[in-house]
Amino acid sequence: MTAPTGAESGQVTWRDPKRYLWLIGLVVPLFPFISWGLVTFTGLGAFWWTGIVLLYVIFPVVDHLFGKDSANPPDKALTWLEQDRYYRWCIFLYLPLQYAGLVTGCWLLTHGGLGLPDRLGLTITLGGVAGIGINTAHELGHKKESVERWMSKIALAQTFYGHFFIEHNRGHHVRVATPEDPASARLGESFWRFLPRTVVGSLRNALHLEKARLNRRGRSPWTVHNDVLNAWAMSVVLFAALTVAFGPGILPYLAVQAVFGFCLLEVINYTEHYGLLRARTATGRYERCAPRHSWNSDNVATNVFLYHLQRHSDHHANPTRRYQALRHFEEAPELPTGYAGMIVLAYFPPLWRRTMDHRVLAHYDGDVTRANIQPSKSRAILTRYGKAEQAS
C-alpha cells in the first residue's frame, strides 16, 4: 500500500514491505490446531509437541535462513504508520485465536483420550501460545487507549501474570539496565539464577507500585481499582470457568501451561538487557535510557512473529510507539541471532556465556567495570576481564 506521509509541501510515498507479513504472527495462536491437525493426519502423538519444535527448532532455523532486515521507515511516514488501524487488528486478532486454542486444548485434554505424554505435549504447546501472548499484551499495555490496556490484561489472564501490566510499564521501564531492575540480567548471571529473581522481584515491585499509586489517591490497595488485583481476578474467573466446563482435572494442566508461558517471557527478558548498564550522572541519577542499553536483533522472521519486539532499543526510547514504526539504531548492540535462537542458548549457561560475555565486553570497549555485573561473580569477572584488558 502506498501511503501519504502528510508532508505539507507535497506527498512522499512509501510502501511498507512488511505490511502483510505481520499477519504471520497469527500463526502462533494456531499452534494447538496445527498440532491437532497433524496428529489426526499422521496418527503420530508426537505432534502434540509441535509448539516446542516450532519455538526451539523451526523458528531459529527460519531466522537464520531469512537473515536480517535493518531498514527503517522514513521519519515522515511514522505518523501515518502509527495511525493506520490495520496494524492494530493484526494484534487484536491474536486474542480470540489465543482463547479459541485454549478452550479447544482444554477439551482435548479432558475428552480427547490422550495419554499422559500427549497431554503434556499439548499443555506445553498451549503454554507457548500463552507466553507469546504476553508479548501481545506487552504491545497493547503500552498504549494510551483504555480498550487496548484492558485487552492487555485479557491476554495476560491465561498465564496468571497480570501484574506484568504494572511492573513492566511503571517499573522495568524506569529501572531498566540498572542493578535495581529485577528484569535486567547481569553479566555472569545464568538464566536459572535470573528466573526466580525476576519472578519474585517483579511481583513484589508490581504490588508496591500499585499500593503507592492508590495511597496517593487516598485509597486502600484492597479495591477493584487495584490494577494488579483486577488483572488477577480475570485469571481467577478464567480458570474457574474452565474448571466448571471441563472439571477440576484441568487445573494441573492450566498451571503447567501458565508456568511455561511466563517462563518463556522471562527468558526473553533475560536476553534483552544482559550485562548492560546505564551510567550514573554527576547528580547521582542514572542517565536516560538510550538505544545502547538494550540488545537488538534485526532477524526478520522472529521480528514478524513477535511484532518487532527485537527492536527493543527504540521501544525503550519510545515506549508508546507502535510496533510497526519501531526503528533500527546503529548504536544499539546486536545479538548474534534472533530471540528464538537466543532463548535456546540461555538454557545452557556455558554456551550463553561463551556467546554473549565477550560481546558485552566489546560493547564497553574492553572496560568490564561499565557493565552490570552479577555481585556474586564480581571478583572473578573483574579479575578475568581486567587482566584481558591490560593485556590488550
Side-chain angles (χ1 to χ4, degrees):
M1 177 178 178
T2 301
T5 64
E8 294 180 1
S9 59
Q11 286 192 341
V12 179
T13 58
W14 175 76
R15 183 184 297 272
D16 179 6
K18 298 177 184 174
R19 181 175 179 83
Y20 299 107
L21 292 180
W22 299 116
L23 292 170
I24 296 175
L26 297 176
V27 170
V28 173
L30 297 178
F31 282 1
F33 300 103
I34 294 171
S35 294
W36 191 10
L38 289 172
V39 170
T40 301
F41 180 74
T42 65
L44 298 175
F47 282 110
W48 292 118
W49 295 84
T50 294
I52 289 290
V53 175
L54 286 169
L55 288 173
Y56 296 132
V57 180
I58 303 299
F59 284 5
V61 171
V62 170
D63 249 351
H64 176 73
L65 292 177
F66 282 85
K68 297 187 176 186
D69 173 23
S70 300
N72 289 332
D75 290 344
K76 292 181 179 180
L78 294 179
T79 299
W80 169 78
L81 273 174
E82 294 261 5
Q83 293 174 350
D84 189 341
R85 298 191 71 85
Y86 161 80
Y87 295 96
R88 301 186 198 187
W89 281 103
C90 292
I91 292 281
F92 294 166
L93 289 173
Y94 191 101
L95 271 67
L97 294 175
Q98 174 185 346
Y99 281 99
L102 176 62
V103 172
T104 301
C106 288
W107 182 86
L108 289 167
L109 288 166
T110 53
H111 296 87
L114 307 182
L116 181 59
D118 294 344
R119 292 199 300 273
L120 183 57
L122 176 56
T123 300
I124 297 301
T125 294
L126 290 172
V129 175
I132 298 179
I134 299 178
N135 178 55
T136 304
H138 167 262
E139 174 66 22
L140 292 166
H142 275 291
K143 303 305 172 281
K144 297 177 181 179
E145 296 184 14
S146 61
V147 65
E148 292 179 278
R149 296 168 71 84
W150 277 102
M151 290 176 73
S152 175
K153 294 180 184 179
I154 293 171
L156 292 166
Q158 184 175 341
T159 49
F160 227 114
Y161 225 56
H163 56 280
F164 172 82
F165 175 82
I166 298 299
E167 160 57 18
H168 180 82
N169 294 340
R170 289 167 30 208
H172 173 63
H173 270 262
V174 174
R175 296 184 295 264
V176 64
T178 72
E180 291 79 19
D181 180 31
S184 293
R186 301 157 177 168
L187 179 66
E189 181 180 31
S190 73
F191 168 68
W192 303 109
R193 182 161 189 162
F194 169 80
L195 181 61
R197 181 172 73 85
T198 188
V199 170
V200 174
S202 296
L203 173 59
R204 183 185 296 120
N205 285 345
L207 292 170
H208 172 76
L209 287 166
E210 199 56 0
K211 181 180 179 181
R213 181 183 73 86
L214 292 167
N215 283 344
R216 289 194 298 270
R217 298 187 176 188
R219 289 178 171 174
S220 165
W222 301 102
T223 171
V224 294
H225 299 289
N226 185 316
D227 283 331
V228 174
L229 298 185
N230 60 45
W232 284 348
M234 291 185 181
S235 295
V236 171
V237 170
L238 173 65
F239 280 40
L242 293 173
T243 301
V244 170
F246 300 106
I250 197 63
L251 283 172
Y253 300 103
L254 290 176
V256 171
Q257 64 85 31
V259 171
F260 182 82
F262 71 69
C263 286
L264 188 59
L265 160 76
E266 297 299 357
V267 72
I268 291 176
N269 272 341
Y270 176 77
T271 296
E272 290 171 336
H273 304 282
Y274 177 77
L276 302 180
L277 180 66
R278 287 153 58 196
R280 289 190 182 272
T281 65
T283 64
R285 299 172 63 89
Y286 286 109
E287 64 180 321
R288 188 176 184 273
C289 187
R292 63 182 178 275
H293 298 124
S294 303
W295 289 99
N296 254 40
S297 171
D298 277 330
N299 284 80
V300 65
T302 309
N303 260 330
V304 168
F305 277 108
L306 297 180
Y307 304 114
H308 258 165
L309 179 65
Q310 298 177 142
R311 290 197 167 181
H312 210 60
S313 55
D314 195 11
H315 167 68
H316 271 277
N318 301 281
T320 61
R321 175 165 287 163
R322 295 186 181 275
Y323 70 93
Q324 66 271 20
L326 292 174
R327 301 159 300 168
H328 164 85
F329 285 91
E330 291 296 333
E331 67 179 282
E334 186 78 6
L335 292 169
T337 188
Y339 285 177
M342 296 306 299
I343 63 178
V344 176
L345 289 176
Y347 295 144
F348 302 95
L351 292 178
W352 173 268
R353 295 201 62 189
R354 183 177 298 177
T355 303
M356 287 301 298
D357 283 14
H358 70 90
R359 285 181 165 85
V360 175
L361 191 66
H363 180 60
Y364 289 115
D365 299 321
D367 185 358
V368 73
T369 64
R370 295 164 59 192
N372 185 8
I373 302 175
Q374 170 66 19
S376 63
K377 300 286 184 68
S378 178
R379 178 174 296 180
I381 289 173
L382 290 173
T383 300
R384 177 181 179 184
Y385 293 117
K387 288 180 179 178
E389 180 189 358
Q390 291 173 6
S392 64

